[in-house]
Structures are given as structure tokens and as C-alpha cells.
């Protein structure tokens, strides 16, 4: 969206037919506007919190080995969701918004079709990759015996339908690009409820439904994704959105693909490195046994829940930063990034600190096993206060998407990855305790947050020297 300056030129050319709309994203108070855009996502992603709690809870009821298995599988599931949603989904939203901002609805519709094609191809890639290499990857992370069996059961079902989350998040990106924040949020809310019901029923077995275990939990997620795709497909192809994807007679245009991928691909390196960091750390922890691995899995679920909260504020900052950059309001763009970062840091930090002080609030939801409870409490007491820095990094990531300056946050993730890999190797050579590894995890979060924030405020934003905009940007749609 940082290229909305293109819309300014189009707006000047068409000034005699369509007067510019007053843009609240540029002129309204920053905090109030940020919260107005964020609240639908906050409510919807709160339902995602319920999924995290419910899913981990009924997996814990199946047994300790399935709980440890979920800790092994979780990084790959998160990679699928974050790359398809915040990363590539951000590239989709950016391209759609820039096309609509320039008044080219036909281009926006063509971009929407290419976005679905990208989502389908990436989904196939994840499906084939995990079905072929999944067993080796899970074993490499430390999966053994029953833990590996349960992990593979989940992987085989979930990644057989990997195309579904990619299509779902591609459609959500298209809608967000038109300024529609509410419908994707409603779909997240509805999918969460459906996933809890179906995943619990199929995983644990209710009434005449047999207990399918980890396969049932994975199937519940796919059912929920399918329902969301059905509703958003109806909305998009019925003409109710500002764009209608062109499927029949579509001619693939590389320029359209590049318009999406130039933001989306770079953005994808951040969640990829994040998941690599978690995977490497999981590998180090596997040497301490199933109970420690399961306890860490409970803690990482909390991290995912709270980064979803930061996502709500971060994704709201994308159009605000992008519009300000397009209007050459560089100071406002930086203020938006600062406000979003502070809000994310405080919101995540307060919740995480409370749970760090009283970890049983979270741990007891999922398991009664003494060993797992002890490991979960130890991890949360050490690492949870530092989750605030994860929230800060998440916000900086999305602000950078708005400014089309993604290199800094990606390199910050690279630094965290190297820190965990190098620090973990050093701890292994010193026969360190599990407490030392938990301290390493906490320190890596601080490093990520500080470097991400520093990269944003040290990177030059705005057009190149000598670039002149013809006038204020024009919006073709209304932000819901």
C-alpha cells in the first residue's frame, strides 16, 4: 500500500470527474483510527484464542504424547497460516488496494484472480512437501516412538488439505485490499467456533462419533477452513465486493504475479525464519524428554495467541502507513508505526506478565500431568514477560509492509535465528540445563523486538529524492 502515490497521479488526472474523498486514515487522530480498524480483528482473533485453548486442552485429554506431538507439528502449521495470511496475504491486499486507489477496478479483479492462483500453487507446494518430507522433518526435530506416530497422524490429514488455508487467506487478503476488514474477521470468528466444535467432536469422540485422535483434530481445522472459503467465494463471485476475480478465460500475466509477489515473497521470509527458530529450539529441547517438550508446546501456544493480538493492531497499521507515505506525510507514517508498536507491546506485555506471575492460569487448562505442568510453569515464568517484544516485532513487520520496506524486519528475524542456533549449540556443548534454554528463548525475543523497531526507525521511508506527487491520494472505497 506504500505505493498509493500512484493513486495520487490518477486522482489528479480525474479531478474534474471525481473530487478527492477526505481520508480519515491520513487526517484523523492516529490512536483512534488504529483502534477503529483493529477492533474487528481483535474480536475475531479472540476467538482464535479459544481455538488455541480448546485444541490444546482436548489434545491434552488424549494424552501426553499427543501433546508433545503437537509441539512438533505446531511450527509447520503456524508457518502455513502466517505465510498465507500476514505475509502473502499482505502482498495481495497491497496490490489490490493500489489498483483500486488508481481507479483501475479491472486490474484489481485480474489481480484477485492471480492471488487465488498464487494461493492454490503455494498450497500444493506445502501439501506435497509435507506429505513427502514431513516424517523426516519431524524425526529431525526429535520425534520418536509414539510422539512421532501422533505427529504424523496430524500432519497427514492437515497438509492433505494445505490448499484450503492458502485459498482462505488469499480471499481474506483480497477483501482487506478493498478496505473490507469486517468480513474476513467474521470468517475468522465463525471458523474458530466451527473448528472448536468439529475438532473436539472428531478428536475426542462424542456420542456416535468415534474418537479419531490427532487425525480428527486436524480434520476439524480443514472443515472450518472450507466453510470460510464457501462464504467468501459467494461474496466475491456474486459481485458484492468491489472486485470480482476473473476465472473463466483467465490469461496469466507475469506482471500481475510480480505486483503481488514483490511484497509477499519478501514478507514470507520473516515467518519462515520464525518457524525455523522455533523448530531449532524444539530440537534442542527434545533431548530433555517428552514432558519438557509438551510443557514448551503449551507455552508456545500462548505466544501464538498473543501474537494474534499484535496482528490485529499491526494489520490495521498497514493502510494507515501506506496512505501517509503516498501523501508524503512521512512523519505521520512514523508516528503510526510508533503508536501501533506501543499498543502492541503494552497489550501483549500486560497479559503475558500476568500469566508469567501466575502460570497455572494457563498451564492447568491443558494438562494435569505433574511433569508437563512443571515444565510449562518454568518456561512461562522465564519467557512470557518477553512476549511483549514479539508483539513489538509483529507491529513493526506490518508497518514496514505499509511502507514497502521489508528488509529490516526480515533481517531482524535472521539475527534471532542465528542467535538461537548459535546459542543453543553453545549450551549443548556446555551440558546446560533446560532453564538455560528457556533463558535463551527469552533473550531471543528481546533481540527480535529491539532490532525490528530499530530497523523501522533507521530506514528511510518515503519517495526517492526528486519524486513529486501530483496531488492527494484518492480512495475508491470506504474502509469498513
Amino acid at each position: 500500500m506504500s505505493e498509493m502515490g500512484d493513486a495520487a497521479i490518477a486522482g489528479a488526472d480525474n479531478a474534474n470527474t471525481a473530487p478527492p474523498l477526505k481520508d480519515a486514515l491520513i487526517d484523523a487522530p492516529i490512536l483512534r483510527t488504529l483502534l477503529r480498524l483493529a477492533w474487528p480483528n481483535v474480536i475475531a482473533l479472540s476467538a482464535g484464542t479459544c481455538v488455541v485453548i480448546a485444541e490444546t486442552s482436548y489434545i491434552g485429554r488424549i494424552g501426553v504424547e499427543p501433546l508433545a506431538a503437537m509441539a512438533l507439528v505446531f511450527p509447520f502449521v503456524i508457518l502455513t497460516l502466517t505465510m498465507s495470511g500476514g505475509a502473502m496475504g499482505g502482498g495481495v491486499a497491497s496490490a489490490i488496494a493500489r489498483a483500486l486507489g488508481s481507479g483501475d477496478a479491472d486490474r484489481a479483479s485480474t489481480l484477485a484472480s492471480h492471488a487465488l492462483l498464487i494461493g492454490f500453487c503455494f498450497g500444493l507446494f506445502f501439501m506435497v512437501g509435507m506429505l513427502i518430507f514431513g516424517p523426516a522433518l519431524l524425526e529431525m526435530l526429535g520425534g520418536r516412538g509414539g510422539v512421532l506416530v501422533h505427529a504424523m497422524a496430524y500432519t497427514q490429514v492437515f497438509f492433505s488439505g494445505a490448499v484450503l488455508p492458502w485459498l482462505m487467506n488469499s480471499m481474506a487478503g483480497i477483501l482487506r485490499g478493498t478496505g473490507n476488514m469486517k468480513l474476513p474477521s467474521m470468517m475468522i470468528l465463525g471458523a474458530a467456533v466451527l473448528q472448536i466444535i468439529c475438532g473436539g467432536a472428531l478428536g475426542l469422540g462424542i456420542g456416535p462419533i468415534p474418537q479419531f485422535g490427532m487425525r480428527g483434530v486436524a480434520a476439524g481445522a480443514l472443515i472450518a477452513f472450507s466453510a470460510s472459503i464457501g462464504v467468501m467465494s459467494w461474496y466475491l463471485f456474486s459481485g458484492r465486493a468491489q472486485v470480482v476475480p476473473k476465472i473463466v478465460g483467465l490469461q496469466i500475466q507475469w506482471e500481475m504475479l510480480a505486483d503481488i509477489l514483490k511484497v509477499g515473497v519478501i514478507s514470507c521470509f520473516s515467518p519462515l525464519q520464525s518457524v525455523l527458530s522455533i523448530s531449532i529450539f524444539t530440537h534442542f529441547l527434545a533431548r530433555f524428554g517428552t514432558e519438557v517438550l509438551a510443557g514448551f508446546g503449551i507455552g508456545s501456544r500462548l505466544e501464538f495467541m498473543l501474537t494474534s493480538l499484535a496482528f490485529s493492531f499491526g494489520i490495521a497499521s498497514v493502510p494507515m502507513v501506506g496512505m501517509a507515505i503516498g501523501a508524503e506525510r512521512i512523519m505521520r507514517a512514523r508516528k503510526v508505526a510508533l503508536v501501533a508498536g506501543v499498543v502492541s507491546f503494552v497489550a501483549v506485555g500486560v497479559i503475558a506478565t500476568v500469566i508469567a506471575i501466575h502460570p497455572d492460569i494457563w498451564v492447568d487448562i491443558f494438562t494435569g500431568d505433574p511433569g508437563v505442568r512443571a515444565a510449562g510453569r518454568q518456561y512461562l515464568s522465564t519467557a512470557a514477560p518477553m512476549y511483549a517484544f514479539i508483539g513489538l516485532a509483529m507491529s513493526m513487520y506490518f508497518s514496514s509492509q505499509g511502507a514497502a520496506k521489508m528488509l529490516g524486519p526480515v533481517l531482524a528475524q535472521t539475527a534471532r535465528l542465528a542467535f538461537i542456533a548459535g546459542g543453543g549449540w553453545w549450551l549443548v556443548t556446555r551440558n546446560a540445563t533446560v532453564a538455560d534454554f528457556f533463558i535463551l528463548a527469552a533473550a531471543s525475543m528481546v533481540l527480535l523486538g529491539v532490532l525490528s523497531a530499530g530497523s523501522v526507525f533507521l530506514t528511510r521511508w518515503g519517495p526517492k529524492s526528486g519524486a513529486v506527487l501530483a496531488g492527494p491520494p484518492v480512495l475508491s472505497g470506504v474502509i469498513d
Side-chain angles (χ1 to χ4, degrees), residues 13 15 22 26 58 78 138 146 161 187 212 311 338 361 376 398 436 469:
D13 292 339
K22 182 178 179 180
I26 295 177
Y58 48 65
I78 292 303
L138 294 170
M187 291 301 96
F212 291 101
F311 173 92
L338 175 62
I361 295 175
F398 282 109
D436 296 323
L469 294 179

Side-chain angles (χ1 to χ4, degrees), residues 24-109:
L25 296 182
I26 295 177
D27 298 322
I30 291 173
L31 179 59
R32 187 175 67 190
T33 305
L34 180 73
L35 296 178
R36 179 173 65 84
L37 290 176
W39 75 260
N41 290 320
V42 171
I43 293 175
L45 291 170
S46 296
T49 300
C50 296
V51 172
V52 170
I53 294 174
E55 192 172 78
T56 308
S57 179
Y58 48 65
I59 289 174
R61 293 176 185 273
I62 298 173
V64 173
E65 285 188 337
L67 201 58
M70 198 62 204
L72 287 177
V73 175
F74 195 59
F76 301 106
V77 174
I78 292 303
L79 179 63
T80 303
L81 297 178
T82 54
M83 285 185 70
S84 62
M88 193 62 69
V92 171
S94 174
I96 296 292
R98 283 184 276 111
L100 290 176
S102 66
D104 194 343
D106 185 67
R107 176 182 176 84
S109 295

Side-chain angles (χ1 to χ4, degrees), residues 46-196:
S46 296
T49 300
C50 296
V51 172
V52 170
I53 294 174
E55 192 172 78
T56 308
S57 179
Y58 48 65
I59 289 174
R61 293 176 185 273
I62 298 173
V64 173
E65 285 188 337
L67 201 58
M70 198 62 204
L72 287 177
V73 175
F74 195 59
F76 301 106
V77 174
I78 292 303
L79 179 63
T80 303
L81 297 178
T82 54
M83 285 185 70
S84 62
M88 193 62 69
V92 171
S94 174
I96 296 292
R98 283 184 276 111
L100 290 176
S102 66
D104 194 343
D106 185 67
R107 176 182 176 84
S109 295
T110 304
L111 282 166
S113 305
H114 285 73
L116 296 178
L117 178 62
I118 289 172
F120 182 79
C121 291
F122 271 80
L124 283 179
F125 175 80
F126 270 75
M127 180 186 74
V128 174
M130 284 302 296
L131 292 181
I132 294 176
F133 301 107
L137 290 172
L138 294 170
E139 191 170 358
M140 187 185 304
L141 290 179
R144 299 290 185 273
V147 174
L148 182 60
V149 171
H150 286 292
M152 277 306 306
Y154 188 97
T155 299
Q156 288 168 352
V157 174
F158 184 89
F159 285 98
S160 292
V163 170
L164 297 177
W166 274 93
L167 285 178
M168 178 185 71
N169 284 320
S170 296
M171 291 180 180
I174 293 169
L175 290 169
R176 289 189 176 113
T178 68
N180 187 338
M181 295 272 184
K182 291 181 180 177
L183 183 58
S185 298
M186 289 173 60
M187 291 301 96
I188 292 173
L189 181 62
V193 174
L194 189 58
Q195 185 174 346
I196 291 173

Side-chain angles (χ1 to χ4, degrees), residues 21 63 139 162 213 233 272 279 356 360 376 394 434 452 469 475:
L21 300 175
E139 191 170 358
S233 295
L272 175 61
S279 299
D360 288 341
M394 175 74 74
V434 68
S452 296
L469 294 179
L475 290 179

Side-chain angles (χ1 to χ4, degrees), residues 298-321:
I298 290 173
S300 63
R301 281 291 175 118
L302 176 64
E303 180 182 338
F304 170 68
M305 180 198 80
L306 294 179
T307 53
S308 296
L309 177 62
F311 173 92
S312 300
F313 299 110
I315 198 69
S317 74
V318 173
M320 295 179 68
V321 171

Side-chain angles (χ1 to χ4, degrees), residues 115 129 164 178 209 222 269 311 337 343 381 394 398 413 443-444:
L164 297 177
T178 68
I209 302 176
L222 297 183
F269 281 101
F311 173 92
V343 171
S381 297
M394 175 74 74
F398 282 109
Q413 282 286 2
S444 74

